[in-house]
Amino acid sequence: MRIGVLGTGNMADALGTRWVAAGHEVLFGGRSPERSHALAARAGGRPGTLGEAASFGDAALLALPHDALADVLAALGSGTGALRGRTLIDCTNAIGPGLLLTTGTGPGAARTLARITGAAVVKAFNHLPDSVWRLGPLAAATTEGPLAVPLCGDDEAALETVRTLVRDLGHVPLTVGGLERADQLEAVTAFLIGLWKSGHDPRTLLPPFEVVTAGDRAGGRER
Ligand SMILES: NC(=O)c1ccc[n+]([C@@H]2O[C@H](COP(=O)([O-])OP(=O)(O)OC[C@H]3O[C@@H](n4cnc5c(N)ncnc54)[C@H](OP(=O)(O)O)[C@@H]3O)[C@@H](O)[C@H]2O)c1
């Protein structure tokens, strides 16, 4: 597959490098030619501009700060088409002071991105730090098995493309719903980051699956 990566920072590096290792052709597009060339050389990909990454290949990964999006998309002329109809993977987190979503109670980052660009947006990879995405599947696996990567999107072809890219990292794609569910994934990520930052292991909030679902299996009520 050919993948355009918008950004040359941590997430671009983590995911792009592993996709190159999996045999994909990756173009790393950044606003700084130096950083784009350095990352492409290190990862084994191609350097380019943000615009070139936006229009490159089968899918694009948006690995930029959420608050830079308006400027970047305006510069790309997104309203008229750089990303329209393309598979666009959104790994952004719109998290501000107090670990609150800067998108508030409105549409989340992914839905806004889809509306502005007309792209087939798939929310993915936002819920874990770049240090995890750099790992191989064994190191990233959970005690329950391979790492499941939640995906939200409305376009089946785009979802299938991203499922392939998840499998190529050695993980298991888990399609949880349409793009409206991305709002929840973004909120849950902020919640998880809060727990991790304060030294709490989120796994302590979660009894085994069988325990949580025992009532349902016994014909229990809806929650
Ligand atoms: N890092 C993580 O663990 C992690 C995990 C999940 C999700 N995310 C999300 O992924 C996204 C990227 O995070 P990151 O950690 O990779 O960030 P990062 O390391 O700070 O890299 C950000 C990239 O965006 C570029 N950029 C920043 N402002 C820009 C602007 N106004 N115009 C054009 N380019 C701009 C930077 O370019 P320069 O180098 O030229 O400044 C850099 O290439 C964020 O939305 C973040 O919330 C991060």
mmCIF file of all heavy atoms in Angstrom, residues 150-205:
data_model
loop_
_atom_site.group_PDB
_atom_site.id
_atom_site.type_symbol
_atom_site.label_atom_id
_atom_site.label_comp_id
_atom_site.label_asym_id
_atom_site.label_seq_id
_atom_site.Cartn_x
_atom_site.Cartn_y
_atom_site.Cartn_z
ATOM 1 N N PRO A 150 -9.234 -0.080 18.334
ATOM 2 C CA PRO A 150 -10.590 0.358 17.983
ATOM 3 C C PRO A 150 -10.593 1.303 16.789
ATOM 4 O O PRO A 150 -9.763 2.205 16.698
ATOM 5 C CB PRO A 150 -11.065 1.075 19.260
ATOM 6 C CG PRO A 150 -9.832 1.466 19.983
ATOM 7 C CD PRO A 150 -8.769 0.479 19.618
ATOM 8 N N LEU A 151 -11.539 1.068 15.894
ATOM 9 C CA LEU A 151 -11.697 1.905 14.695
ATOM 10 C C LEU A 151 -13.132 2.414 14.649
ATOM 11 O O LEU A 151 -14.078 1.664 14.925
ATOM 12 C CB LEU A 151 -11.446 1.089 13.418
ATOM 13 C CG LEU A 151 -10.178 0.248 13.320
ATOM 14 C CD1 LEU A 151 -10.152 -0.470 11.965
ATOM 15 C CD2 LEU A 151 -8.945 1.100 13.492
ATOM 16 N N CYS A 152 -13.294 3.666 14.257
ATOM 17 C CA CYS A 152 -14.627 4.222 14.025
ATOM 18 C C CYS A 152 -14.630 4.885 12.657
ATOM 19 O O CYS A 152 -13.720 5.656 12.330
ATOM 20 C CB CYS A 152 -14.970 5.290 15.060
ATOM 21 S SG CYS A 152 -15.012 4.707 16.751
ATOM 22 N N GLY A 153 -15.649 4.599 11.884
ATOM 23 C CA GLY A 153 -15.733 5.226 10.568
ATOM 24 C C GLY A 153 -17.043 4.884 9.898
ATOM 25 O O GLY A 153 -17.724 3.919 10.284
ATOM 26 N N ASP A 154 -17.387 5.678 8.892
ATOM 27 C CA ASP A 154 -18.657 5.491 8.181
ATOM 28 C C ASP A 154 -18.480 4.859 6.809
ATOM 29 O O ASP A 154 -19.469 4.492 6.166
ATOM 30 C CB ASP A 154 -19.355 6.852 7.994
ATOM 31 C CG ASP A 154 -19.786 7.447 9.328
ATOM 32 O OD1 ASP A 154 -20.030 6.671 10.269
ATOM 33 O OD2 ASP A 154 -19.857 8.686 9.414
ATOM 34 N N ASP A 155 -17.244 4.768 6.335
ATOM 35 C CA ASP A 155 -16.989 4.304 4.978
ATOM 36 C C ASP A 155 -16.345 2.915 5.036
ATOM 37 O O ASP A 155 -15.227 2.754 5.538
ATOM 38 C CB ASP A 155 -16.050 5.311 4.277
ATOM 39 C CG ASP A 155 -15.816 4.965 2.822
ATOM 40 O OD1 ASP A 155 -15.191 3.903 2.549
ATOM 41 O OD2 ASP A 155 -16.239 5.744 1.950
ATOM 42 N N GLU A 156 -17.063 1.910 4.539
ATOM 43 C CA GLU A 156 -16.596 0.533 4.688
ATOM 44 C C GLU A 156 -15.260 0.294 3.978
ATOM 45 O O GLU A 156 -14.394 -0.409 4.500
ATOM 46 C CB GLU A 156 -17.663 -0.437 4.168
ATOM 47 C CG GLU A 156 -17.318 -1.903 4.314
ATOM 48 C CD GLU A 156 -16.813 -2.317 5.706
ATOM 49 O OE1 GLU A 156 -17.289 -1.766 6.714
ATOM 50 O OE2 GLU A 156 -15.922 -3.195 5.767
ATOM 51 N N ALA A 157 -15.080 0.882 2.808
ATOM 52 C CA ALA A 157 -13.813 0.673 2.089
ATOM 53 C C ALA A 157 -12.650 1.284 2.873
ATOM 54 O O ALA A 157 -11.565 0.681 2.992
ATOM 55 C CB ALA A 157 -13.893 1.280 0.691
ATOM 56 N N ALA A 158 -12.880 2.460 3.432
ATOM 57 C CA ALA A 158 -11.822 3.100 4.229
ATOM 58 C C ALA A 158 -11.530 2.277 5.483
ATOM 59 O O ALA A 158 -10.369 2.089 5.862
ATOM 60 C CB ALA A 158 -12.245 4.521 4.602
ATOM 61 N N LEU A 159 -12.588 1.782 6.122
ATOM 62 C CA LEU A 159 -12.385 0.935 7.307
ATOM 63 C C LEU A 159 -11.557 -0.296 6.953
ATOM 64 O O LEU A 159 -10.661 -0.699 7.699
ATOM 65 C CB LEU A 159 -13.734 0.510 7.891
ATOM 66 C CG LEU A 159 -14.468 1.548 8.739
ATOM 67 C CD1 LEU A 159 -15.912 1.121 8.969
ATOM 68 C CD2 LEU A 159 -13.751 1.752 10.077
ATOM 69 N N GLU A 160 -11.850 -0.897 5.807
ATOM 70 C CA GLU A 160 -11.120 -2.111 5.417
ATOM 71 C C GLU A 160 -9.640 -1.801 5.175
ATOM 72 O O GLU A 160 -8.765 -2.593 5.536
ATOM 73 C CB GLU A 160 -11.769 -2.729 4.170
ATOM 74 C CG GLU A 160 -11.243 -4.103 3.818
ATOM 75 C CD GLU A 160 -11.240 -5.105 4.989
ATOM 76 O OE1 GLU A 160 -12.127 -5.036 5.850
ATOM 77 O OE2 GLU A 160 -10.311 -5.949 5.031
ATOM 78 N N THR A 161 -9.379 -0.649 4.577
ATOM 79 C CA THR A 161 -7.980 -0.238 4.380
ATOM 80 C C THR A 161 -7.264 -0.120 5.723
ATOM 81 O O THR A 161 -6.142 -0.603 5.905
ATOM 82 C CB THR A 161 -7.936 1.117 3.643
ATOM 83 O OG1 THR A 161 -8.493 0.944 2.343
ATOM 84 C CG2 THR A 161 -6.519 1.641 3.515
ATOM 85 N N VAL A 162 -7.936 0.496 6.696
ATOM 86 C CA VAL A 162 -7.279 0.702 7.995
ATOM 87 C C VAL A 162 -7.166 -0.618 8.760
ATOM 88 O O VAL A 162 -6.182 -0.853 9.469
ATOM 89 C CB VAL A 162 -8.005 1.796 8.810
ATOM 90 C CG1 VAL A 162 -7.267 2.068 10.119
ATOM 91 C CG2 VAL A 162 -8.112 3.078 7.999
ATOM 92 N N ARG A 163 -8.165 -1.499 8.580
ATOM 93 C CA ARG A 163 -8.033 -2.827 9.207
ATOM 94 C C ARG A 163 -6.754 -3.515 8.712
ATOM 95 O O ARG A 163 -6.019 -4.134 9.477
ATOM 96 C CB ARG A 163 -9.238 -3.703 8.879
ATOM 97 C CG ARG A 163 -10.498 -3.346 9.630
ATOM 98 C CD ARG A 163 -11.611 -4.343 9.282
ATOM 99 N NE ARG A 163 -12.907 -3.756 9.544
ATOM 100 C CZ ARG A 163 -13.827 -3.455 8.633
ATOM 101 N NH1 ARG A 163 -13.626 -3.743 7.352
ATOM 102 N NH2 ARG A 163 -14.952 -2.895 8.979
ATOM 103 N N THR A 164 -6.516 -3.417 7.415
ATOM 104 C CA THR A 164 -5.299 -4.019 6.852
ATOM 105 C C THR A 164 -4.056 -3.409 7.488
ATOM 106 O O THR A 164 -3.106 -4.124 7.853
ATOM 107 C CB THR A 164 -5.269 -3.805 5.317
ATOM 108 O OG1 THR A 164 -6.411 -4.442 4.765
ATOM 109 C CG2 THR A 164 -4.005 -4.374 4.696
ATOM 110 N N LEU A 165 -4.074 -2.100 7.646
ATOM 111 C CA LEU A 165 -2.895 -1.435 8.217
ATOM 112 C C LEU A 165 -2.699 -1.801 9.684
ATOM 113 O O LEU A 165 -1.568 -1.858 10.166
ATOM 114 C CB LEU A 165 -3.023 0.087 8.042
ATOM 115 C CG LEU A 165 -2.914 0.556 6.585
ATOM 116 C CD1 LEU A 165 -3.199 2.045 6.467
ATOM 117 C CD2 LEU A 165 -1.532 0.221 6.021
ATOM 118 N N VAL A 166 -3.791 -2.049 10.394
ATOM 119 C CA VAL A 166 -3.673 -2.508 11.790
ATOM 120 C C VAL A 166 -3.068 -3.915 11.816
ATOM 121 O O VAL A 166 -2.144 -4.192 12.591
ATOM 122 C CB VAL A 166 -5.056 -2.503 12.481
ATOM 123 C CG1 VAL A 166 -4.996 -3.223 13.825
ATOM 124 C CG2 VAL A 166 -5.555 -1.078 12.656
ATOM 125 N N ARG A 167 -3.585 -4.785 10.952
ATOM 126 C CA ARG A 167 -3.061 -6.163 10.921
ATOM 127 C C ARG A 167 -1.581 -6.154 10.545
ATOM 128 O O ARG A 167 -0.804 -6.972 11.043
ATOM 129 C CB ARG A 167 -3.845 -7.016 9.915
ATOM 130 C CG ARG A 167 -5.261 -7.321 10.372
ATOM 131 C CD ARG A 167 -5.938 -8.335 9.447
ATOM 132 N NE ARG A 167 -7.379 -8.333 9.670
ATOM 133 C CZ ARG A 167 -8.267 -7.706 8.886
ATOM 134 N NH1 ARG A 167 -7.863 -7.075 7.790
ATOM 135 N NH2 ARG A 167 -9.548 -7.727 9.178
ATOM 136 N N ASP A 168 -1.196 -5.240 9.672
ATOM 137 C CA ASP A 168 0.205 -5.182 9.253
ATOM 138 C C ASP A 168 1.127 -4.740 10.381
ATOM 139 O O ASP A 168 2.342 -4.944 10.306
ATOM 140 C CB ASP A 168 0.361 -4.261 8.037
ATOM 141 C CG ASP A 168 -0.229 -4.895 6.783
ATOM 142 O OD1 ASP A 168 -0.498 -6.113 6.801
ATOM 143 O OD2 ASP A 168 -0.429 -4.169 5.789
ATOM 144 N N LEU A 169 0.555 -4.135 11.416
ATOM 145 C CA LEU A 169 1.345 -3.821 12.615
ATOM 146 C C LEU A 169 1.391 -5.023 13.557
ATOM 147 O O LEU A 169 2.074 -4.990 14.584
ATOM 148 C CB LEU A 169 0.732 -2.626 13.363
ATOM 149 C CG LEU A 169 0.679 -1.279 12.629
ATOM 150 C CD1 LEU A 169 -0.065 -0.248 13.472
ATOM 151 C CD2 LEU A 169 2.078 -0.797 12.297
ATOM 152 N N GLY A 170 0.609 -6.050 13.241
ATOM 153 C CA GLY A 170 0.563 -7.248 14.080
ATOM 154 C C GLY A 170 -0.531 -7.202 15.123
ATOM 155 O O GLY A 170 -0.572 -8.056 16.017
ATOM 156 N N HIS A 171 -1.413 -6.207 15.035
ATOM 157 C CA HIS A 171 -2.500 -6.070 16.010
ATOM 158 C C HIS A 171 -3.822 -6.525 15.388
ATOM 159 O O HIS A 171 -3.867 -6.934 14.229
ATOM 160 C CB HIS A 171 -2.598 -4.622 16.496
ATOM 161 C CG HIS A 171 -1.295 -4.044 16.952
ATOM 162 N ND1 HIS A 171 -0.436 -4.714 17.809
ATOM 163 C CD2 HIS A 171 -0.668 -2.871 16.655
ATOM 164 C CE1 HIS A 171 0.629 -3.978 18.035
ATOM 165 N NE2 HIS A 171 0.523 -2.859 17.334
ATOM 166 N N VAL A 172 -4.890 -6.407 16.177
ATOM 167 C CA VAL A 172 -6.210 -6.876 15.726
ATOM 168 C C VAL A 172 -7.155 -5.679 15.614
ATOM 169 O O VAL A 172 -7.387 -4.981 16.607
ATOM 170 C CB VAL A 172 -6.788 -7.903 16.725
ATOM 171 C CG1 VAL A 172 -8.180 -8.332 16.307
ATOM 172 C CG2 VAL A 172 -5.860 -9.095 16.838
ATOM 173 N N PRO A 173 -7.697 -5.421 14.417
ATOM 174 C CA PRO A 173 -8.646 -4.303 14.301
ATOM 175 C C PRO A 173 -9.972 -4.639 14.966
ATOM 176 O O PRO A 173 -10.445 -5.764 14.889
ATOM 177 C CB PRO A 173 -8.810 -4.150 12.781
ATOM 178 C CG PRO A 173 -8.460 -5.483 12.211
ATOM 179 C CD PRO A 173 -7.490 -6.136 13.145
ATOM 180 N N LEU A 174 -10.554 -3.628 15.602
ATOM 181 C CA LEU A 174 -11.852 -3.799 16.250
ATOM 182 C C LEU A 174 -12.734 -2.627 15.827
ATOM 183 O O LEU A 174 -12.596 -1.514 16.346
ATOM 184 C CB LEU A 174 -11.675 -3.814 17.772
ATOM 185 C CG LEU A 174 -12.945 -3.924 18.603
ATOM 186 C CD1 LEU A 174 -13.610 -5.283 18.402
ATOM 187 C CD2 LEU A 174 -12.635 -3.702 20.079
ATOM 188 N N THR A 175 -13.597 -2.874 14.857
ATOM 189 C CA THR A 175 -14.473 -1.803 14.378
ATOM 190 C C THR A 175 -15.600 -1.640 15.379
ATOM 191 O O THR A 175 -16.404 -2.557 15.580
ATOM 192 C CB THR A 175 -15.036 -2.149 12.987
ATOM 193 O OG1 THR A 175 -13.940 -2.471 12.124
ATOM 194 C CG2 THR A 175 -15.806 -0.972 12.405
ATOM 195 N N VAL A 176 -15.650 -0.472 16.018
ATOM 196 C CA VAL A 176 -16.645 -0.299 17.089
ATOM 197 C C VAL A 176 -17.885 0.452 16.630
ATOM 198 O O VAL A 176 -18.905 0.438 17.317
ATOM 199 C CB VAL A 176 -16.039 0.402 18.325
ATOM 200 C CG1 VAL A 176 -15.005 -0.478 18.980
ATOM 201 C CG2 VAL A 176 -15.449 1.747 17.984
ATOM 202 N N GLY A 177 -17.837 1.089 15.487
ATOM 203 C CA GLY A 177 -19.033 1.777 15.016
ATOM 204 C C GLY A 177 -18.698 2.892 14.056
ATOM 205 O O GLY A 177 -17.570 2.994 13.562
ATOM 206 N N GLY A 178 -19.705 3.699 13.786
ATOM 207 C CA GLY A 178 -19.545 4.803 12.852
ATOM 208 C C GLY A 178 -18.798 5.964 13.479
ATOM 209 O O GLY A 178 -18.393 5.917 14.651
ATOM 210 N N LEU A 179 -18.676 7.017 12.692
ATOM 211 C CA LEU A 179 -17.860 8.138 13.144
ATOM 212 C C LEU A 179 -18.444 8.834 14.379
ATOM 213 O O LEU A 179 -17.705 9.460 15.139
ATOM 214 C CB LEU A 179 -17.696 9.141 11.979
ATOM 215 C CG LEU A 179 -16.365 9.871 11.896
ATOM 216 C CD1 LEU A 179 -15.188 8.913 11.953
ATOM 217 C CD2 LEU A 179 -16.320 10.706 10.635
ATOM 218 N N GLU A 180 -19.754 8.707 14.590
ATOM 219 C CA GLU A 180 -20.319 9.326 15.793
ATOM 220 C C GLU A 180 -19.762 8.671 17.048
ATOM 221 O O GLU A 180 -19.680 9.301 18.104
ATOM 222 C CB GLU A 180 -21.863 9.289 15.777
ATOM 223 C CG GLU A 180 -22.498 7.928 16.016
ATOM 224 C CD GLU A 180 -22.542 7.063 14.776
ATOM 225 O OE1 GLU A 180 -22.052 7.498 13.728
ATOM 226 O OE2 GLU A 180 -23.063 5.927 14.878
ATOM 227 N N ARG A 181 -19.329 7.407 16.938
ATOM 228 C CA ARG A 181 -18.713 6.749 18.101
ATOM 229 C C ARG A 181 -17.281 7.249 18.350
ATOM 230 O O ARG A 181 -16.701 7.006 19.412
ATOM 231 C CB ARG A 181 -18.685 5.219 17.908
ATOM 232 C CG ARG A 181 -20.047 4.554 17.824
ATOM 233 C CD ARG A 181 -20.802 4.554 19.144
ATOM 234 N NE ARG A 181 -20.104 3.908 20.248
ATOM 235 C CZ ARG A 181 -20.039 2.585 20.462
ATOM 236 N NH1 ARG A 181 -20.636 1.749 19.630
ATOM 237 N NH2 ARG A 181 -19.415 2.092 21.504
ATOM 238 N N ALA A 182 -16.698 7.923 17.346
ATOM 239 C CA ALA A 182 -15.344 8.475 17.531
ATOM 240 C C ALA A 182 -15.327 9.503 18.654
ATOM 241 O O ALA A 182 -14.326 9.654 19.360
ATOM 242 C CB ALA A 182 -14.831 9.092 16.234
ATOM 243 N N ASP A 183 -16.438 10.215 18.832
ATOM 244 C CA ASP A 183 -16.511 11.169 19.944
ATOM 245 C C ASP A 183 -16.223 10.450 21.265
ATOM 246 O O ASP A 183 -15.542 10.969 22.150
ATOM 247 C CB ASP A 183 -17.907 11.798 20.033
ATOM 248 C CG ASP A 183 -18.198 12.765 18.892
ATOM 249 O OD1 ASP A 183 -17.449 12.767 17.898
ATOM 250 O OD2 ASP A 183 -19.192 13.501 18.992
ATOM 251 N N GLN A 184 -16.779 9.245 21.410
ATOM 252 C CA GLN A 184 -16.585 8.487 22.648
ATOM 253 C C GLN A 184 -15.130 8.021 22.768
ATOM 254 O O GLN A 184 -14.551 8.045 23.862
ATOM 255 C CB GLN A 184 -17.525 7.289 22.680
ATOM 256 C CG GLN A 184 -18.991 7.683 22.703
ATOM 257 C CD GLN A 184 -19.914 6.483 22.588
ATOM 258 O OE1 GLN A 184 -19.488 5.379 22.264
ATOM 259 N NE2 GLN A 184 -21.199 6.710 22.837
ATOM 260 N N LEU A 185 -14.571 7.591 21.643
ATOM 261 C CA LEU A 185 -13.174 7.128 21.672
ATOM 262 C C LEU A 185 -12.243 8.275 22.060
ATOM 263 O O LEU A 185 -11.261 8.084 22.797
ATOM 264 C CB LEU A 185 -12.818 6.561 20.291
ATOM 265 C CG LEU A 185 -11.501 5.833 20.113
ATOM 266 C CD1 LEU A 185 -11.273 4.792 21.189
ATOM 267 C CD2 LEU A 185 -11.466 5.188 18.733
ATOM 268 N N GLU A 186 -12.558 9.463 21.585
ATOM 269 C CA GLU A 186 -11.741 10.627 21.937
ATOM 270 C C GLU A 186 -11.892 10.952 23.426
ATOM 271 O O GLU A 186 -10.904 11.237 24.108
ATOM 272 C CB GLU A 186 -12.157 11.820 21.064
ATOM 273 C CG GLU A 186 -11.774 11.597 19.595
ATOM 274 C CD GLU A 186 -12.446 12.571 18.625
ATOM 275 O OE1 GLU A 186 -13.089 13.535 19.079
ATOM 276 O OE2 GLU A 186 -12.312 12.356 17.397
ATOM 277 N N ALA A 187 -13.113 10.849 23.947
ATOM 278 C CA ALA A 187 -13.335 11.145 25.365
ATOM 279 C C ALA A 187 -12.695 10.077 26.262
ATOM 280 O O ALA A 187 -12.075 10.392 27.282
ATOM 281 C CB ALA A 187 -14.834 11.249 25.645
ATOM 282 N N VAL A 188 -12.834 8.831 25.856
ATOM 283 C CA VAL A 188 -12.234 7.740 26.636
ATOM 284 C C VAL A 188 -10.713 7.888 26.678
ATOM 285 O O VAL A 188 -10.075 7.628 27.706
ATOM 286 C CB VAL A 188 -12.636 6.368 26.038
ATOM 287 C CG1 VAL A 188 -11.722 5.262 26.531
ATOM 288 C CG2 VAL A 188 -14.078 6.048 26.411
ATOM 289 N N THR A 189 -10.137 8.327 25.579
ATOM 290 C CA THR A 189 -8.687 8.506 25.550
ATOM 291 C C THR A 189 -8.251 9.567 26.557
ATOM 292 O O THR A 189 -7.275 9.368 27.295
ATOM 293 C CB THR A 189 -8.235 8.879 24.128
ATOM 294 O OG1 THR A 189 -8.575 7.809 23.248
ATOM 295 C CG2 THR A 189 -6.736 9.129 24.082
ATOM 296 N N ALA A 190 -8.982 10.669 26.614
ATOM 297 C CA ALA A 190 -8.653 11.711 27.600
ATOM 298 C C ALA A 190 -8.767 11.139 29.019
ATOM 299 O O ALA A 190 -7.939 11.425 29.892
ATOM 300 C CB ALA A 190 -9.580 12.909 27.419
ATOM 301 N N PHE A 191 -9.783 10.324 29.241
ATOM 302 C CA PHE A 191 -9.984 9.687 30.546
ATOM 303 C C PHE A 191 -8.811 8.755 30.883
ATOM 304 O O PHE A 191 -8.260 8.781 31.991
ATOM 305 C CB PHE A 191 -11.305 8.926 30.515
ATOM 306 C CG PHE A 191 -11.699 8.304 31.817
ATOM 307 C CD1 PHE A 191 -12.089 9.091 32.884
ATOM 308 C CD2 PHE A 191 -11.687 6.928 31.976
ATOM 309 C CE1 PHE A 191 -12.464 8.515 34.104
ATOM 310 C CE2 PHE A 191 -12.048 6.347 33.181
ATOM 311 C CZ PHE A 191 -12.439 7.143 34.239
ATOM 312 N N LEU A 192 -8.412 7.947 29.899
ATOM 313 C CA LEU A 192 -7.291 7.023 30.117
ATOM 314 C C LEU A 192 -6.004 7.787 30.411
ATOM 315 O O LEU A 192 -5.247 7.423 31.320
ATOM 316 C CB LEU A 192 -7.078 6.152 28.873
ATOM 317 C CG LEU A 192 -8.117 5.069 28.610
ATOM 318 C CD1 LEU A 192 -7.861 4.405 27.257
ATOM 319 C CD2 LEU A 192 -8.094 4.024 29.717
ATOM 320 N N ILE A 193 -5.758 8.835 29.634
ATOM 321 C CA ILE A 193 -4.531 9.614 29.847
ATOM 322 C C ILE A 193 -4.512 10.164 31.277
ATOM 323 O O ILE A 193 -3.474 10.158 31.951
ATOM 324 C CB ILE A 193 -4.424 10.743 28.798
ATOM 325 C CG1 ILE A 193 -4.158 10.144 27.406
ATOM 326 C CG2 ILE A 193 -3.308 11.725 29.169
ATOM 327 C CD1 ILE A 193 -4.252 11.149 26.259
ATOM 328 N N GLY A 194 -5.682 10.604 31.753
ATOM 329 C CA GLY A 194 -5.761 11.116 33.122
ATOM 330 C C GLY A 194 -5.376 10.062 34.143
ATOM 331 O O GLY A 194 -4.647 10.330 35.107
ATOM 332 N N LEU A 195 -5.855 8.843 33.933
ATOM 333 C CA LEU A 195 -5.513 7.757 34.859
ATOM 334 C C LEU A 195 -4.020 7.439 34.792
ATOM 335 O O LEU A 195 -3.347 7.340 35.824
ATOM 336 C CB LEU A 195 -6.332 6.506 34.511
ATOM 337 C CG LEU A 195 -7.830 6.584 34.799
ATOM 338 C CD1 LEU A 195 -8.537 5.340 34.270
ATOM 339 C CD2 LEU A 195 -8.095 6.729 36.291
ATOM 340 N N TRP A 196 -3.527 7.280 33.570
ATOM 341 C CA TRP A 196 -2.098 6.947 33.426
ATOM 342 C C TRP A 196 -1.232 8.015 34.064
ATOM 343 O O TRP A 196 -0.282 7.708 34.780
ATOM 344 C CB TRP A 196 -1.731 6.776 31.947
ATOM 345 C CG TRP A 196 -2.244 5.524 31.319
ATOM 346 C CD1 TRP A 196 -2.287 4.281 31.863
ATOM 347 C CD2 TRP A 196 -2.780 5.387 29.983
ATOM 348 N NE1 TRP A 196 -2.826 3.391 30.965
ATOM 349 C CE2 TRP A 196 -3.123 4.031 29.811
ATOM 350 C CE3 TRP A 196 -2.997 6.273 28.925
ATOM 351 C CZ2 TRP A 196 -3.674 3.546 28.628
ATOM 352 C CZ3 TRP A 196 -3.537 5.794 27.743
ATOM 353 C CH2 TRP A 196 -3.876 4.438 27.600
ATOM 354 N N LYS A 197 -1.553 9.284 33.790
ATOM 355 C CA LYS A 197 -0.724 10.388 34.305
ATOM 356 C C LYS A 197 -0.744 10.447 35.828
ATOM 357 O O LYS A 197 0.215 10.899 36.443
ATOM 358 C CB LYS A 197 -1.206 11.728 33.738
ATOM 359 C CG LYS A 197 -0.690 12.030 32.328
ATOM 360 C CD LYS A 197 -1.123 13.429 31.911
ATOM 361 C CE LYS A 197 -0.709 13.767 30.493
ATOM 362 N NZ LYS A 197 0.716 13.901 30.303
ATOM 363 N N SER A 198 -1.854 10.011 36.431
ATOM 364 C CA SER A 198 -1.909 10.060 37.903
ATOM 365 C C SER A 198 -1.507 8.726 38.527
ATOM 366 O O SER A 198 -1.708 8.501 39.720
ATOM 367 C CB SER A 198 -3.310 10.482 38.362
ATOM 368 O OG SER A 198 -4.275 9.616 37.820
ATOM 369 N N GLY A 199 -0.943 7.858 37.709
ATOM 370 C CA GLY A 199 -0.368 6.625 38.239
ATOM 371 C C GLY A 199 -1.353 5.514 38.509
ATOM 372 O O GLY A 199 -1.040 4.565 39.234
ATOM 373 N N HIS A 200 -2.565 5.629 37.940
ATOM 374 C CA HIS A 200 -3.568 4.577 38.133
ATOM 375 C C HIS A 200 -3.617 3.669 36.914
ATOM 376 O O HIS A 200 -3.617 4.141 35.779
ATOM 377 C CB HIS A 200 -4.954 5.182 38.366
ATOM 378 C CG HIS A 200 -5.044 5.972 39.622
ATOM 379 N ND1 HIS A 200 -4.917 5.414 40.884
ATOM 380 C CD2 HIS A 200 -5.225 7.285 39.833
ATOM 381 C CE1 HIS A 200 -5.023 6.350 41.801
ATOM 382 N NE2 HIS A 200 -5.206 7.496 41.187
ATOM 383 N N ASP A 201 -3.680 2.392 37.146
ATOM 384 C CA ASP A 201 -3.756 1.424 36.058
ATOM 385 C C ASP A 201 -5.227 1.229 35.679
ATOM 386 O O ASP A 201 -6.007 0.711 36.487
ATOM 387 C CB ASP A 201 -3.145 0.100 36.523
ATOM 388 C CG ASP A 201 -3.055 -0.918 35.389
ATOM 389 O OD1 ASP A 201 -3.782 -0.768 34.383
ATOM 390 O OD2 ASP A 201 -2.256 -1.872 35.530
ATOM 391 N N PRO A 202 -5.622 1.646 34.471
ATOM 392 C CA PRO A 202 -7.040 1.531 34.079
ATOM 393 C C PRO A 202 -7.563 0.107 34.147
ATOM 394 O O PRO A 202 -8.767 -0.110 34.293
ATOM 395 C CB PRO A 202 -7.054 2.039 32.624
ATOM 396 C CG PRO A 202 -5.813 2.831 32.468
ATOM 397 C CD PRO A 202 -4.804 2.248 33.408
ATOM 398 N N ARG A 203 -6.662 -0.862 34.076
ATOM 399 C CA ARG A 203 -7.134 -2.253 34.124
ATOM 400 C C ARG A 203 -7.785 -2.574 35.459
ATOM 401 O O ARG A 203 -8.592 -3.498 35.553
ATOM 402 C CB ARG A 203 -5.970 -3.213 33.850
ATOM 403 C CG ARG A 203 -5.443 -3.132 32.431
ATOM 404 C CD ARG A 203 -4.215 -3.997 32.271
ATOM 405 N NE ARG A 203 -3.174 -3.615 33.234
ATOM 406 C CZ ARG A 203 -2.017 -4.239 33.389
ATOM 407 N NH1 ARG A 203 -1.740 -5.288 32.640
ATOM 408 N NH2 ARG A 203 -1.139 -3.824 34.270
ATOM 409 N N THR A 204 -7.453 -1.792 36.521
ATOM 410 C CA THR A 204 -8.060 -2.070 37.829
ATOM 411 C C THR A 204 -9.534 -1.653 37.859
ATOM 412 O O THR A 204 -10.251 -1.969 38.810
ATOM 413 C CB THR A 204 -7.299 -1.337 38.961
ATOM 414 O OG1 THR A 204 -7.385 0.069 38.722
ATOM 415 C CG2 THR A 204 -5.851 -1.763 39.015
ATOM 416 N N LEU A 205 -9.981 -0.944 36.828
ATOM 417 C CA LEU A 205 -11.397 -0.569 36.743
ATOM 418 C C LEU A 205 -12.228 -1.665 36.091
ATOM 419 O O LEU A 205 -13.460 -1.562 36.059
ATOM 420 C CB LEU A 205 -11.565 0.698 35.890
ATOM 421 C CG LEU A 205 -11.377 2.063 36.523
ATOM 422 C CD1 LEU A 205 -9.966 2.249 37.056
ATOM 423 C CD2 LEU A 205 -11.673 3.165 35.497
#
